[in-house]
Amino acid sequence: MRPADELRRLVEAYLAFARGDGREAVEVTPLGPLLEGIQQRAERAGAKVELQIDEPIEVALRPVAFRRCLANLVDNACRHARSIWISARRTADQVEISVEDDGPGIPEPYLEQVVQPFFRLDTSRSRETGGLGLGLTIARDVALGHGGDLLLGSSAHGGLRALVRLPT
């Protein structure tokens, strides 16, 4: 693929996301079924996934956009790890959804860079097979668009921990 074609494809992918995200209505959505769907998708892809939700949690969100946020996080974990742990819990003023894995993780100096558009930690892979470098960018943008945030760090399981925080 020519560099100009590749750049056009990258920009079109990001713009398609940006255009589609703003049109969806906010709905009070139960997290349990949404997370169970994400879990089943990852298991069909061959990952071992453990899901823990302490209590039924409902959140006002744009369900399609938010599902994409979580799917991007879990898809990344599927690519780099064997086991994934997804949990959701409510605190006094927010909902926290954690996606952890046992993969190689992301070195501390790169934790802020990996959420920048088109940044890829593993530059040795082809963009045809290794993604566009937009998954974490989109996940963070969706979290921010819901008034929350996406925090990346080390998992207790040795890999990456992606924590999505949403206001209640």
Side-chain angles (χ1 to χ4, degrees):
M1 181 180 297
R2 296 181 332 189
D5 292 337
E6 183 175 357
L7 180 60
R8 186 179 71 248
R9 190 179 117 217
L10 293 173
V11 171
E12 287 172 357
Y14 189 74
L15 290 176
F17 156 74
R19 282 191 301 267
D21 188 44
R23 295 182 222 171
E24 186 181 4
V26 173
E27 300 175 18
V28 175
T29 305
L31 283 181
L34 192 150
L35 293 174
E36 289 165 1
I38 297 286
Q39 175 188 22
Q40 292 166 1
R41 182 173 179 249
E43 288 174 341
R44 282 192 302 271
K48 177 183 167 201
V49 183
E50 186 176 309
L51 174 61
Q52 179 182 355
I53 306 171
D54 293 335
E55 63 182 89
I57 300 172
E58 291 187 339
V59 183
L61 47 80
R62 293 185 311 280
V64 172
F66 197 71
R67 185 176 299 110
R68 183 171 192 177
C69 166
L70 296 178
N72 286 354
L73 298 175
V74 173
D75 287 352
N76 280 347
C78 285
R79 265 194 296 282
H80 301 289
R82 291 180 316 245
S83 298
I84 301 167
W85 294 264
I86 303 170
S87 63
R89 69 184 190 107
R90 181 183 303 279
T91 67
D93 60 347
Q94 62 190 359
V95 169
E96 296 181 341
I97 301 162
S98 175
V99 177
E100 297 188 58
D101 66 56
D102 63 355
I106 297 174
E108 176 96 24
Y110 295 105
L111 289 174
E112 280 302 313
Q113 286 180 296
V114 295
V115 296
Q116 301 304 315
F118 312 120
F119 180 85
R120 295 177 60 229
L121 193 58
D122 184 358
T123 57
S124 64
R125 294 187 310 187
S126 162
R127 288 201 190 271
E128 296 299 317
T129 59
L132 300 172
L134 290 174
L136 291 174
T137 303
I138 290 169
R140 183 180 227 180
D141 286 351
V142 170
L144 291 171
H146 283 85
D149 202 359
L150 169 65
L151 306 170
L152 302 176
S154 296
S155 165
H157 306 284
L160 181 67
R161 178 181 192 220
L163 180 65
V164 178
R165 290 185 172 156
L166 300 174
T168 55

